[in-house]
Amino acid sequence: MERLDKFISARCGLSRKDAQKCIKNGEVHLNGEVCRKADCKLNPDADAVLLRGQAVCADEHLYIMLNKPAGVVSATADKHDTTVLDILPPELRRRGLFPAGRLDKDTEGLLLITDDGDLAHRMLSPKKHVEKRYVAQLDGRVTPEMQQAFAAGVVFADGTKCRPAKLEVLPDSGEMSGIVTICEGKFHQVKKMFATVGRKVVHLQRISIGNLYLDSKLPIGSAKKLTKLDIDAIFLGNIH
Ligand code: URA
């Protein structure tokens, strides 16, 4: 059982005070009746709550797929730049959301935003070896030597060694684009791996995390709510 003001505040991105105001103002319905008691107890799995006529989602955690556009930063707040949270539609805003993993400001594609710290930890833990796939457009062709270097594990100029990665040539790209699969998340990793083998990445897009794929129908800059099944796909087939 959960207090009504706590429930509204956690699920709707409101402070506890604002949630209490809404309840006092008669803006909240509990099982079809206006409820003005902030400390009223409810069962999130069984009771229906409306805020200003809109159903409040009972899920404890929210999982959002964002097709990240270039120009926004993977942070919860920033003094100068627009963040990935700033561009979420109002119905997907909630307290405690954060991007699970980072994409560079100029990188596009699949970004998971959630308030589930455990999931983020499991997903980002290097021990879990969750594969991330990127489409990289390059300033030159992908060569077999580069594919071998990626497979062997690229070593950066400062001696940092990357785990073995897969580099496939993207068909129909004139060999100027590759699909890179990595299972770790070093800072600027894909760009640095290509730089090490003499190529500049001119455009980078993440297309999958584990078996969770970027929805090709989701326009750049748009977001959608994911189900628990979608989230399970991240770890599907992961042997670690
Ligand atoms: N590797 C990069 O270089 N940049 C990203 O945004 C993600 C992976």
Side-chain angles (χ1 to χ4, degrees):
M1 300 296 273
E2 203 170 328
R3 274 178 66 119
L4 184 59
D5 55 353
K6 184 164 175 264
F7 176 87
I8 298 272
S9 135
R11 269 66 169 191
C12 304
L14 298 175
S15 67
R16 189 71 84 88
K17 238 189 184 164
D18 284 340
Q20 286 166 355
K21 251 188 224 161
C22 293
I23 296 167
K24 279 236 167 70
N25 291 344
E27 294 172 76
V28 174
H29 282 75
L30 177 60
N31 297 326
E33 309 261 334
V34 171
C35 178
R36 292 177 195 269
K37 279 171 54 191
D39 63 352
C40 177
K41 293 270 173 41
L42 69 113
N43 176 353
D45 295 327
D47 293 320
V49 180
L50 303 184
L51 172 63
R52 297 180 198 122
Q54 285 224 321
V56 177
C57 169
D59 299 339
E60 190 187 353
H61 291 301
L62 189 56
Y63 305 99
I64 298 167
M65 172 186 288
L66 173 70
N67 188 351
K68 180 191 171 297
V72 301
V73 293
S74 302
T76 50
D78 193 279
K79 277 206 180 113
H80 307 290
D81 286 311
T82 304
T83 73
V84 289
L85 296 190
D86 293 331
I87 63 170
L88 290 181
E91 68 276 13
L92 289 180
R93 289 186 188 186
R94 222 193 224 201
R95 285 196 143 206
L97 288 177
F98 60 90
R102 281 168 181 268
L103 292 177
D104 296 338
K105 187 173 169 182
D106 60 354
T107 300
E108 296 186 331
L110 175 59
L111 187 71
L112 187 70
I113 297 177
T114 185
D115 55 358
D116 183 347
D118 284 347
L119 170 84
H121 181 74
R122 278 200 298 145
M123 198 179 103
L124 301 173
S125 161
K127 286 192 202 126
K128 296 280 178 205
H129 297 213
V130 174
E131 290 188 340
K132 291 124 199 149
R133 295 172 83 223
Y134 296 84
V135 173
Q137 283 173 30
L138 307 169
D139 66 346
R141 293 170 59 183
V142 176
T143 65
E145 290 74 25
M146 290 174 191
Q147 292 176 302
Q148 280 155 22
F150 275 46
V154 170
V155 183
F156 296 154
D158 66 0
T160 307
K161 188 165 184 344
C162 300
R163 287 175 189 274
K166 197 155 138 197
L167 172 57
E168 298 157 280
V169 179
L170 192 73
D172 304 329
S173 70
E175 297 177 6
M176 299 282 280
S177 292
I179 300 179
V180 185
T181 308
I182 56 175
C183 58
E184 51 190 348
K186 299 188 197 303
F187 189 55
H188 297 324
Q189 179 158 351
V190 174
K191 291 174 188 164
K192 280 179 165 173
M193 286 168 74
F194 277 110
T196 307
V197 297
R199 288 285 177 270
K200 186 172 164 28
V201 174
V202 294
H203 183 261
L204 190 60
Q205 180 199 32
R206 182 155 65 191
I207 53 169
S208 63
I209 303 172
N211 276 300
L212 175 67
Y213 289 85
L214 177 65
D215 180 348
S216 58
K217 294 197 196 83
L218 190 66
I220 296 178
S222 295
K224 71 170 194 180
K225 200 177 142 187
L226 295 175
T227 64
K228 202 82 181 79
L229 264 184
D230 295 322
I231 294 304
D232 290 345
I234 292 174
F235 304 98
L236 243 185
N238 193 339
I239 50 166
H240 296 276

